[in-house]
């Protein structure tokens, strides 16, 4: 179901802009001259970007090398992939080699204060020991206001018993 945030309705599909090369110089400024991107018009983040590739020896066969390479690329290009985020906002969720052994995909889920950002993710594809493509559905400039205080056990139990009692249930906390 669509998610409503900041008084805007959820999107049913992404509105994208195709560009041959680098549409506004951001990729070149980030050291990715010659890369091409498909941009999300709403978030202004590249949904996909690809190029000749960046060599990371052993990245296709070795999951640890691929993860380290993906984290390095993410940290270096965070301003393009997820403006306003930090590398710590991304948690590894996948690191798989394709059945034919040619492509390794590494994926990260976006979080804020430890809570998953709905739909927020960044992925990387390695082929022939080169990072050849990056994808991002990360949301830019996400802010979270998490209350980290624990509720008092007695108050919590009492509220639960009263709430269940209003519904006709008899409850006794253990």
């Amino acid at each position: 179901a669509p998610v409503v945030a900041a008084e805007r309705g959820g999107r049913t599909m992404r509105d994208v802009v195709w560009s041959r090369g680098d549409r506004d110089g951001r990729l070149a400024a980030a050291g990715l001259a010659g890369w091409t991107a498909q941009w999300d018009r709403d978030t202004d983040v590249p949904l996909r970007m690809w190029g000749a590739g960046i060599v990371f020896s052993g990245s296709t066969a070795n999951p640890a090398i691929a993860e380290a390479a993906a984290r390095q690329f993410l940290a270096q290009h965070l301003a393009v992939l997820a403006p306003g985020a930090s590398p710590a906002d991304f948690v590894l969720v996948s690191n798989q080699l394709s059945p034919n052994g040619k492509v390794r995909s590494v994926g990260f889920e976006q979080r804020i204060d430890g809570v998953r950002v709905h739909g927020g993710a960044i992925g990387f594809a390695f082929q022939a020991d080169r990072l050849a493509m990056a994808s991002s559905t990360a949301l830019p400039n996400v802010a979270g206001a998490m209350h980290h205080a624990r509720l008092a056990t007695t108050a919590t139990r009492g509220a639960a018993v009263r709430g269940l009692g209003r519904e006709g249930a008899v409850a006794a906390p253990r």
Side-chain angles (χ1 to χ4, degrees):
V3 175
V4 178
E7 300 178 10
R8 288 183 61 187
R11 299 185 298 175
T12 56
M13 59 186 241
R14 293 186 183 273
D15 190 9
V16 298
V17 176
W18 283 94
S19 66
R20 288 197 181 274
D22 191 354
R23 75 179 175 134
D24 61 6
R26 276 190 283 167
L27 296 180
L32 298 168
W35 281 55
T36 300
Q38 175 190 36
W39 297 85
D40 183 318
R41 284 187 205 236
D42 293 330
T43 64
D44 203 28
V45 169
L47 282 173
R48 306 281 179 275
M49 56 188 212
W50 59 93
I54 300 168
V55 175
F56 287 102
S57 295
S59 58
T60 305
N62 187 311
I65 292 172
E67 179 184 348
R71 288 185 185 281
Q72 177 186 335
F73 187 90
L74 175 61
Q76 288 174 338
H77 302 291
L78 201 54
V80 173
L81 293 167
S86 77
D89 292 338
F90 295 91
V91 176
L92 182 71
V93 292
S94 66
N95 190 338
Q96 297 292 316
L97 187 62
S98 64
N100 66 8
K102 293 184 178 182
V103 179
R104 176 164 299 279
S105 300
V106 179
F108 297 90
E109 182 177 81
Q110 186 180 17
R111 303 216 174 156
I112 187 72
D113 290 336
V115 177
R116 187 174 69 87
V117 174
H118 183 71
I122 291 183
F124 301 94
F126 296 87
Q127 185 173 13
D129 289 343
R130 291 178 171 273
L131 173 61
M133 185 177 83
S135 63
S136 178
T137 56
L139 297 178
N141 306 306
V142 175
M146 298 297 296
H147 183 67
H148 296 286
R150 288 184 62 115
L151 296 172
T153 303
T154 305
T156 305
R157 285 183 182 161
V161 168
R162 286 189 301 279
L164 290 168
R166 283 192 295 274
E167 299 298 319
V170 177
R174 291 188 247 166

